[in-house]
């Protein structure tokens, strides 16, 4: 047991942190864009979506990793889908039972976690060939990387589109009297695309190693 | 490495296992979910008459304020009466009437198809010795269903309050129908003109103008949802007109 890797070795820590920046699922791999456009009008649903995806991806990664030696390669995609779909339905049912308001806001998008490419992507790329613990960290890391972008986007969309943060009005009433108007574009999906574009631009201009050659 | 037999067994076991897990989760959580849906419906009904309550106390507040539930048919006759937790008349509890189904049946009958006659619920609420009549309405917005509750003063003509909600209208545009500025517009509007003709409440694009007794401002950018609200009120309230006329004549 003495030569076992510590739980939070440098390698494991990297699993958790690189998806937040250098290997971010949204800004670098450009996965999960659909839901990033849909649930980021306000901060609260973006936050709940983040939590839900962290739960689904972390648990899913561990399950797939535990099962990885028993899964026949020919049906592995089906097995992965079944695992995702059941977890998502469970999350949806739990939300409906205990945080009804939030589940109403997220409505169809919780179900759409099933089609979130990040999850299938991590199952295929990581959990199928790694042990449960690193898979767990990889799941949490990637979902958090997805979530952090979601929350940044939601912050700006809610601020510029509705003049509020987490439902609380932050743009003072006098601004409106002076002729300030909330930006309607930010409320619609193209607003999210623009914000994500700006985030990608900022990230690449700060870290030149991300820029492809040619 | 994996035989066909293994794959088939694996898949079957997996599917049965997952089915068992999901169905038991669904069964365990169902009571909580149904309670939420019911509490939400109660909140909507009470909120239209300005009685606010949270989800936990919804049932209690409902009992306190709602003195009677009625179900009326399209000729204006009271078919069911529900008071103090028991049915006094008829065999349907008005609270359980599905408006969506009633509207569909109504539509079918208008088209000349045979369908069971629809019933329309009325909730009688008492607050500060004032009587309010609350009727639920349901219609379509741009992306999906919209619905609401309209509370009338005791003349069943003047709107005392209204609440609306929606499944998935565009945030910031059509979704504004469930915000107070839009709902408050309906207060004091009347649905009958001076000759006693049913005119409903119009939702007018470009502004209803001041002192318009039968119109409110539409939501700019939410035209289709606004029209949905207009149609919902027109078709929904129309079904109560015979009952209202009958009721007022008796007094």
């Amino acid at each position: 047991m003495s030569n076992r890797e510590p739980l939070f070795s440098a390698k494991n820590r990297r699993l958790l942190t690189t998806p937040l920046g250098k290997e971010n699922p949204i800004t670098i791999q450009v996965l999960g864009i659909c839901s990033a456009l849909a649930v980021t009008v306000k901060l609260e649903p973006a936050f709940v979506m983040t939590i839900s995806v962290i739960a689904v991806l972390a648990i899913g990664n561990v399950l797939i990793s535990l099962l990885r030696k028993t899964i026949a390669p020919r049906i592995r995609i089906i097995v992965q889908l079944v695992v995702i779909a059941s977890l998502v339905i469970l999350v949806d049912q739990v939300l409906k039972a205990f945080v009804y308001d939030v589940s109403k806001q997220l409505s169809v998008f919780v179900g759409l976690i099933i089609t979130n490419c990040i999850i299938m992507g991590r199952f295929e790329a990581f959990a199928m060939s790694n042990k449960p613990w690193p898979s767990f960290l990889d799941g949490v890391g990637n979902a958090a990387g997805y979530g952090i972008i979601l929350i940044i986007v939601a912050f700006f969309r809610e601020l510029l589109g509705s003049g509020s943060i987490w439902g609380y009005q932050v743009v003072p009433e006098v601004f409106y009297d002076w002729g300030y108007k909330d930006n309607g574009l930010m409320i619609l999906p193209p607003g999210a695309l623009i914000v994500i574009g700006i985030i990608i631009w900022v990230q690449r201009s700060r870290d030149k190693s991300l820029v492809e050659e040619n | 490495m994996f035989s066909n037999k293994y794959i088939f067994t694996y898949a079957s076991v997996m599917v049965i296992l997952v089915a068992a897990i999901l169905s038991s989760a669904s069964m365990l959580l169902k009571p909580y979910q149904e309670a939420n849906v019911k509490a939400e419906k109660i909140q909507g009904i009470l909120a239209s008459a300005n009685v606010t309550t949270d989800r936990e106390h919804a049932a209690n507040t409902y009992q306190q304020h709602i003195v009677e539930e009625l179900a009326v048919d399209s000729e204006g006759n009271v078919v069911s009466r529900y008071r103090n937790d028991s049915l006094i008349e008829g065999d349907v509890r008005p609270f359980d009437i599905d408006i969506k189904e009633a509207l569909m049946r109504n539509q079918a009958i208008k088209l000349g198809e045979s369908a069971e006659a629809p019933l329309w619920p009325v909730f009688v609420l008492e607050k500060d010795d004032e009587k309010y009549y609350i009727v639920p309405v349901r219609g379509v917005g741009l992306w999906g269903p919209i619905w609401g509750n309209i509370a009338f003063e005791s003349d069943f003509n003047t709107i005392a309050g209204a609440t609306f909600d929606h499944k998935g209208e565009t945030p910031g545009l059509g979704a504004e129908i469930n915000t107070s500025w839009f709902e408050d517009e309906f207060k004091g509007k009347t649905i009958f003109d001076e000759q006693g003709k049913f005119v409903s409440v119009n939702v007018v694009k470009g502004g209803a103008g001041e002192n318009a007794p039968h119109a409110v401002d539409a939501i700019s950018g939410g035209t289709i949802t606004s029209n949905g609200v207009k149609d919902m009120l027109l078709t929904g309230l129309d079904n109560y007109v015979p009952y209202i006329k009958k009721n007022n004549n008796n007094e």
Side-chain angles (χ1 to χ4, degrees):
Chain A
M1 291 304 271
S2 57
N3 57 0
R4 247 183 97 172
E5 210 182 337
L7 279 184
F8 283 100
S9 65
K11 203 174 105 214
N12 281 346
R13 276 206 308 276
R14 262 204 309 284
L15 288 176
L16 210 52
T17 54
T18 50
L20 295 178
K22 247 179 149 45
E23 277 170 29
N24 189 287
I26 294 188
T27 62
I28 307 300
Q29 302 170 26
V30 198
L31 293 175
I33 290 290
C34 166
S35 55
L37 302 188
V39 298
T40 52
V41 177
K42 295 255 159 77
L43 261 175
E44 199 185 347
F47 185 74
V48 178
M49 187 69 171
T50 304
I51 303 285
S52 312
V53 172
I54 289 179
V56 170
L57 189 48
I59 299 171
N61 252 0
V62 170
L63 284 177
I64 291 290
S65 172
L66 286 171
L67 294 172
R68 71 186 188 280
K69 294 207 173 100
T70 70
I71 299 173
R74 264 187 287 171
I75 57 163
R76 69 181 195 286
I77 300 285
I78 299 172
V79 175
Q80 290 166 10
L81 262 180
V82 168
V83 169
I84 301 173
S86 351
L87 284 173
V88 167
I89 293 170
L90 278 179
V91 168
D92 190 35
Q93 297 280 329
V94 169
L95 289 180
K96 263 197 195 124
F98 299 111
V99 271
Y100 185 71
D101 292 306
V102 179
S103 102
K104 242 178 56 185
Q105 277 196 328
L106 289 175
S107 62
V108 62
F109 300 112
V110 174
L112 285 182
I113 296 176
I114 296 175
T115 60
N116 192 326
C117 340
I118 296 171
I119 296 177
M120 276 282 262
R122 290 334 288 172
F123 284 7
E124 263 296 273
F126 199 91
M128 283 298 282
S129 48
N130 283 283
K131 289 197 176 122
W133 175 245
S135 298
F136 175 78
L137 294 177
D138 179 78
V140 173
N142 273 281
Y146 162 82
I148 207 163
I149 300 295
L150 231 60
I151 287 168
I152 294 173
V153 175
F155 175 82
F156 285 110
R157 285 183 77 185
E158 188 173 353
L159 180 66
L160 300 174
S162 316
S164 58
I165 288 171
W166 203 274
Y168 295 102
Q169 194 70 29
V170 290
V171 176
E173 278 297 319
V174 280
F175 279 35
Y176 293 98
D177 296 341
W178 294 341
Y180 172 82
K181 276 211 164 68
D182 291 329
N183 186 340
L185 178 68
M186 278 297 152
I187 286 172
L188 299 171
L193 213 50
I194 291 170
V195 177
I196 291 176
I198 292 172
I199 294 173
I200 295 179
W201 176 31
V202 170
Q203 192 183 11
R204 289 185 170 224
S205 60
R206 288 170 59 116
D207 186 349
K208 295 280 187 245
S209 68
L210 295 172
V211 181
E212 299 87 350
E213 289 180 22
N214 88 54
Chain B
M1 191 164 86
F2 294 101
S3 65
N4 281 346
K5 196 177 151 207
Y6 174 86
I7 291 178
F8 276 110
T9 325
Y10 190 90
S12 316
V13 170
M14 174 181 74
V15 169
I16 291 166
L17 213 66
V18 165
I21 293 171
L22 289 185
S23 47
S24 43
S26 167
M27 266 162 56
L28 282 173
L29 296 172
K30 191 132 223 162
Y32 298 98
Q33 296 168 354
E34 276 172 356
N36 281 334
V37 173
K38 196 178 161 199
E40 193 195 15
K41 190 170 169 184
I42 290 176
Q43 277 180 314
I45 294 171
L46 294 178
S48 66
N50 243 332
V51 179
T52 48
T53 172
D54 55 24
R55 194 152 296 156
E56 280 159 45
H57 301 99
N60 273 338
T61 323
Y62 185 82
Q63 280 213 326
Q64 222 174 324
H65 283 283
I66 301 287
V67 288
E68 195 170 50
E69 296 172 10
L70 304 170
V72 299
D73 64 14
S74 299
E75 278 78 53
N77 305 308
V78 175
V79 179
S80 286
R81 221 178 262 277
Y82 184 90
R83 202 186 290 165
N84 295 334
D85 280 331
S86 56
L87 266 175
I88 295 176
E89 246 179 275
D91 46 14
V92 191
R93 182 177 169 192
F95 186 85
D96 297 327
I97 291 175
D98 184 354
I99 299 286
K100 187 174 153 198
E101 208 194 312
L103 284 168
M104 269 159 58
R105 282 199 221 143
N106 199 38
Q107 186 71 16
I109 290 171
K110 273 187 186 153
L111 292 172
E113 294 162 25
S114 63
E116 209 183 318
L119 294 178
W120 312 101
V122 179
F123 302 96
V124 185
L125 180 140
E126 241 175 42
K127 191 181 84 174
D128 305 331
D129 291 330
E130 291 276 347
K131 227 176 190 181
Y132 297 93
Y133 295 93
I134 300 167
V135 301
V137 285
R138 193 180 166 93
V140 284
L142 172 58
W143 303 115
I146 54 177
W147 59 91
N149 291 286
I150 317 290
F152 291 96
E153 288 174 10
S154 49
D155 61 359
F156 221 134
N157 179 19
T158 316
I159 294 176
T163 52
F164 299 104
D165 211 345
H166 61 93
K167 172 108 194 209
E169 297 304 298
T170 321
L173 303 174
E176 296 281 303
I177 58 166
N178 65 8
T179 56
S180 55
W181 74 262
F182 183 74
E183 291 171 347
D184 287 348
E185 281 193 299
F186 286 85
K187 281 183 188 156
K189 305 287 174 189
T190 50
I191 59 165
F192 291 96
D193 67 8
E194 279 159 17
Q195 282 77 47
K197 196 172 152 265
F198 173 67
V199 289
S200 183
V201 175
N202 202 354
V203 183
V204 184
K205 201 177 163 182
E210 274 173 49
N211 301 324
H214 314 298
V216 296
D217 294 348
I219 298 161
S220 44
T223 309
I224 298 179
T225 313
S226 299
N227 286 342
V229 172
K230 184 179 81 183
D231 294 341
M232 169 169 83
L233 292 176
L234 189 64
T235 52
L237 297 178
D238 191 37
N239 302 310
Y240 291 95
V241 172
Y243 170 73
I244 299 170
K245 294 236 155 114
K246 220 171 226 183
N247 205 24
N248 285 354
N249 286 344
N250 289 348
E251 279 172 15

